[in-house]
Amino acid sequence: MATAERALHLPELRTAEERGFLSWLMTVDHKRIGILYLVTSAVFFAAGGVEALLMRTQLIRPDNTFLGPKTFDEILTMHGTTMIFLAVIPLAAAFFNYFMPIMIGARDVAFPRLNALSYWLYLAGALILYSSWFLGGAPDAGWFNYVPLSDAFSGPGENFYILGLLLTGFSSIVSSVNFVTTILNMRAPGMSLMRMPVFVWGTFLWSALLLFSAPPFSVALILLLLDRIAGTGFFVPAMGGNALMWQHLFWIMGHPEVYILAVPAWGVISEVLPTFARKPLFGYRGAVIALFAISSLSFTVWSHHMFATGMGPVVNDAFMVTTKLISLPTGALVFTWLATLWGGRIRYTTAMLFAVGFLPLFIFGGLTGLMLATAPADLQLTDTYFVIGHFHYIAIGGILFSMLAAAYYWLPKMTGRMLDERLGKWSFWITFVGFNLTFFPMHLSGLYGMPRRIYTYSPLLGVDVYNLLSTVGAYVLGVGLLITLVNVARSLAVGKVAGADPWDARTLEWTTPSPVPAYNFRVIPLVRGRDALWYEKQAPDGDGRMRGAEEAAGAIHMPGLTYLPALLALGLLVAAYGVNFKLVWLAALGALITFYSIFRQMFEADRGYLLEPRGESE
Ligand code: HEM
Ligand SMILES: [Cu+2]
């Protein structure tokens, strides 16, 4: 008889391996869905990166003619929209999907089928957006798609923006419901809320932010769609509508969006720093409270993006104050990380380099943010390259760097193979130098008056040298990122085998084999402290390994494969094209597929299957 103590050291089960293309289409395993998210978001990150390089190539010298104004606007819009909605949010979803359930000691998320649906909706939305290049032209009204640039009189591209982002928005809402439910209901015994890793708190708040911000944005998109295809005038002043209302509805999502991108990043930093400083996170409670404070405050600041719209000094000052308030909890977080490093026995692995590199870049981006939050200063700086410099310090220095830290930290767990540290360090340094070379000069060109969203500029402005530096830097940055890509490919082919716990880490995912088996845990673990694995490594009454919360392990129930979520997303994709081209039959066909999938789902009992421990006699 296996006692609870020894239960976790039972041999792993042989699972009927999911193989082949179809199995990816039908999977409901949170880990495989995480991998789908990771690969897809990497592809779109590359697309957004190529778009960025095209823009920088056009801007390398004044009066350049490489890209015309129309193409530049399309590429600019697609770059911003891609990076935010198709690359960085799903990149966070990739790591959340793969690791959050394991970090709380669960076998899957609460609703595995909904989880698959989230991924397919995201992919459908992304395909709609990108198909615009081949169907009459990409959207060109900027990532915030302001009216009147996006109203009924503008080109066909905006429809793709609207329909694509409606689907990715649904995808985010579905994920959020799933993650919140999972975190509240599926934690292993002993995993109280205040023992959860900060990364899991990140998942929770990411979901909460999306739950409150995606619906108003979806409503705004639907209103704009009606303006464009049904002749309503919600945003058309001549018809009694209000153009500025779009900006409010956009930024009530758009500002929290910044934190939707940042909260996962902070979660990663809060896992990587303690592991490689070999200390617990300093001030865990304070960090959780700060995350809650930032997330709630983020809904009170949206109009700081609209200082220049003539709201008047009273309104401007109110939003200036709420914005500056956010810097208090954010500063507290930064001190949490600095104090975690203080006196630690630091190991500078590549993951740690990216996490430590994050700190100065994020702080710098935060400081220029405080400058922009000063309403009268913003009136001078808005719509200049100063803004582009500021938010890329957050978007790349803050967010992308921590996602790279996450990749170097967690990919060995996902693939079972280590990344090469030498290549990793080259990648870090080249990325770090390239990044600063690209974006630091933008603050200066911006202060000298270089407008943003402009396809060319005059030599008389005197910003040639800054633009040259930015473009050279962008290529250096690209090389740095390519090295990581090569590193990943190399690791998949010939990387060192990782083993369960290559970093001597603290949290539950490192108690499972790498890659993690389909059922995650042979026996659900018993959590006895905040850093569950670290606790066992230190505990005088332990043997350094996790204990099980159950008696001997019986069969494990697994959910069955299904094509229904992918089919539902396909239905909505077809319906979206129907709406776009005003083809009633196509929209009806899409609706039919969608409803078929929903009804099948309702009346089909998923019995799943049992994983039996075979040939174990204990
Ligand atoms: C990989 C390196 C990147 C480079 C070289 C780069 C470069 C640029 C450039 C040149 C612009 C155009 C500025 C203008 O004309 O106004 C731009 C705009 C923008 N970028 Fe990036 N970027 C990069 C990564 C990112 C990332 C990771 C994000 C977001 C998470 C991002 C979000 C945006 C947004 C939202 C805009 C504004 C688009 C608009 O005004 O509609 N970028 N970027
Ligand atoms: Cu904002």
Side-chain angles (χ1 to χ4, degrees), residues 108-302:
D108 206 323
V109 292
F111 310 114
R113 286 188 171 195
L114 278 188
N115 205 20
L117 179 62
S118 307
Y119 170 74
W120 295 111
L121 286 176
Y122 151 55
L123 184 66
L127 291 178
I128 290 182
L129 200 60
Y130 266 78
S131 69
S132 63
W133 286 114
F134 312 103
L135 297 172
D140 58 0
W143 85 281
F144 31 75
N145 203 42
Y146 280 172
V147 284
L149 288 179
S150 58
D151 69 12
F153 308 103
S154 61
E158 275 66 38
N159 280 358
F160 294 94
Y161 174 98
I162 294 172
L163 294 162
L165 293 192
L166 269 175
L167 289 197
T168 58
F170 291 163
S171 155
S172 302
I173 296 171
V174 173
S175 288
S176 310
V177 172
N178 210 346
F179 288 164
V180 167
T181 316
T182 306
I183 292 171
L184 291 181
N185 291 308
M186 314 253 307
R187 282 167 288 130
M191 179 62 82
S192 61
L193 287 177
M194 289 310 272
R195 280 182 184 170
M196 294 195 315
V198 174
F199 184 73
V200 176
W201 278 116
T203 321
F204 184 82
L205 289 167
W206 180 86
S207 309
L209 286 166
L210 275 170
L211 268 183
F212 286 107
S213 64
F217 183 49
S218 299
V219 170
L221 288 170
I222 291 171
L223 296 183
L224 187 62
L225 185 66
L226 291 176
D227 274 12
R228 289 176 56 87
I229 67 171
T232 57
F234 291 106
F235 302 113
V236 187
M239 299 170 70
N242 184 339
L244 215 52
M245 196 51 76
W246 170 265
Q247 296 200 21
H248 283 290
L249 288 172
F250 181 87
W251 287 113
I252 199 78
M253 176 283 299
H255 185 83
E257 183 66 51
V258 176
Y259 295 95
I260 291 165
L261 304 179
V263 161
W266 298 338
V268 169
I269 297 298
S270 305
E271 299 306 322
V272 173
L273 290 182
T275 298
F276 294 110
R278 311 190 67 71
K279 281 175 66 191
L281 184 73
F282 179 89
Y284 170 90
R285 263 165 215 282
V288 174
I289 293 171
L291 284 174
F292 267 86
I294 296 170
S295 305
S296 341
L297 280 172
S298 75
F299 281 98
T300 65
V301 302
W302 75 92

Side-chain angles (χ1 to χ4, degrees), residues 426-494:
W426 276 104
S427 174
F428 168 76
W429 285 109
I430 295 176
T431 306
F432 189 84
V433 169
F435 165 74
N436 284 292
L437 192 60
T438 313
F439 292 99
F440 186 78
M442 289 188 185
H443 296 88
L444 302 175
S445 60
L447 284 170
Y448 278 114
M450 167 94 181
R452 76 185 272 202
R453 304 177 149 174
I454 196 129
Y455 81 105
T456 193
Y457 52 95
S458 154
L460 300 176
L461 203 55
V463 292
D464 302 7
V465 60
Y466 304 121
N467 274 300
L468 179 64
L469 288 176
S470 286
T471 301
V472 172
Y475 279 93
V476 176
L477 173 58
V479 170
L481 295 176
L482 265 185
I483 295 180
T484 286
L485 198 66
V486 171
N487 201 354
V488 172
R490 189 190 158 281
S491 142
L492 289 176
V494 296

